[in-house]
Amino acid sequence: MTVPSFVTAVLPTDQPPLMHQAVEEAVRLLREGEVVALPTETVYGLAANALDAAAVAKIFEAKERPTFDPLIVHLPHKDQLDLVAEVPAEIALTLKKMTERFWPGPLTILLPKKAIVPDIVTAGLPTVAVRVSSNPIFRRVISALDKPLAAPSANRFGSISPTSASAVLTELDGRIHLIVDAGACMFGLESTIIKIEPGSPKMFITIVRPGPITAEDLKAYGKVRYAMRTVVDEATEAPGQLASHYAPKTPLRLLERPSDFIPEEGKRYALMSYRGEEKDGYLNLTDWEEVMMLSPGNGKLPEAAVRFFYVLRRLDELGVDEIIAEPLHEHGMGIAMMDKLRRASARKAS
Ligand code: TXA
Ligand code: MG
């Protein structure tokens, strides 16, 4: 795969005239079949017209993403769902209630795809992943373009998701024409991905990737279960079921309790701390090269989520021998973060 070489512009949006310019430029490039990095409420996405196979191919090139890993399709408006997806009659009512409640927002739904969606978007799968972003800049761009946008996270394949324009630049500088900078992402973790299946008396809602919309949020709409792709299954799973990568380049180890960690002589360690509280027992385990906290003092999971990829990225840049991660409370958004930490941890240990 050849990697394109461009000058990458980063356009700000923090004043109305600048915002209009950035949106206009993004729309112009997207109309020409180019890819553009755009902010969403979850993480930054690398977007292209989802109905243009040649444009979508450029996403795979810029990210060096294998073509068997399918993309999420973002719609301009929730009422346009039937442009790209079939709505099975048995789940129609539940789906309607859920899209009314959660769209625009960080919930992605897997549905049977329509023929208008090129195979490259879904990696040949019969289903398409669909969501509607609530980020105001993203909405302006997609409304003006009036086309669905395929957009994976704007990082190189296998790398940490970007939650700021500068993180996108680190990942894709020289590979794309434009990054629209709208500051930090509101949630900081990728959307929750679900499947809805008919069931009686309740629908089955399967969480394929945990994220900002939690099991607790979903349970009013059906019986919620998890089907997270396990690390062990990674090699054998079907296309599209490849376990996501969230791993830093530095080996990462997730601890269950402080006593699990015995530092080795001469090795340099950095700590990803949850609250930075001494009483939690991790701060004094060794002479840490660096300690970064996800939610200083508070232990608030949504705050930890906003900082999660930023902290991981910073710790990765230190060049230490190992990043040690404290466990987080495993409820709400803690479930998604623990899932990501487990994957990163298991990957590096093998
Ligand atoms: O929050 C998000 O979802 C962000 C923003 C940019 O919208 N996007 C994102 O995309 O996280 P990406 O490509 O990094 O992750 C999408 C995940 C991949 O793990 C992919 O395998 C899965 O969704 N996926 C996409 N289509 C699928 C399908 N038809 N069946 C199963 N999994 C699918
Ligand atoms: Mg991704």
Side-chain angles (χ1 to χ4, degrees), residues 193-235:
I193 305 181
I194 62 160
K195 228 167 27 183
I196 308 169
E197 282 153 320
S200 179
K202 281 182 166 181
M203 298 287 133
F204 290 109
I205 298 171
T206 308
I207 298 179
V208 178
R209 177 175 73 180
I213 304 293
T214 63
E216 189 63 25
D217 299 324
L218 296 168
K219 73 175 190 210
Y221 303 89
K223 191 167 167 48
V224 182
R225 53 194 181 185
Y226 287 95
M228 264 108 86
R229 299 157 286 188
T230 63
V231 180
V232 198
D233 290 343
E234 187 167 349

Side-chain angles (χ1 to χ4, degrees), residues 54-94:
V56 173
K58 294 180 185 172
I59 295 179
F60 287 91
E61 272 168 37
K63 284 187 56 120
E64 292 179 69
R65 177 174 173 122
T67 48
F68 56 76
D69 196 5
L71 307 178
I72 295 178
V73 173
H74 302 67
L75 296 172
H77 194 271
K78 57 185 165 195
D79 295 346
Q80 290 157 317
L81 180 58
D82 60 4
L83 177 70
V84 296
E86 302 285 351
V87 176
E90 319 83 74
I91 66 162
L93 186 61
T94 301

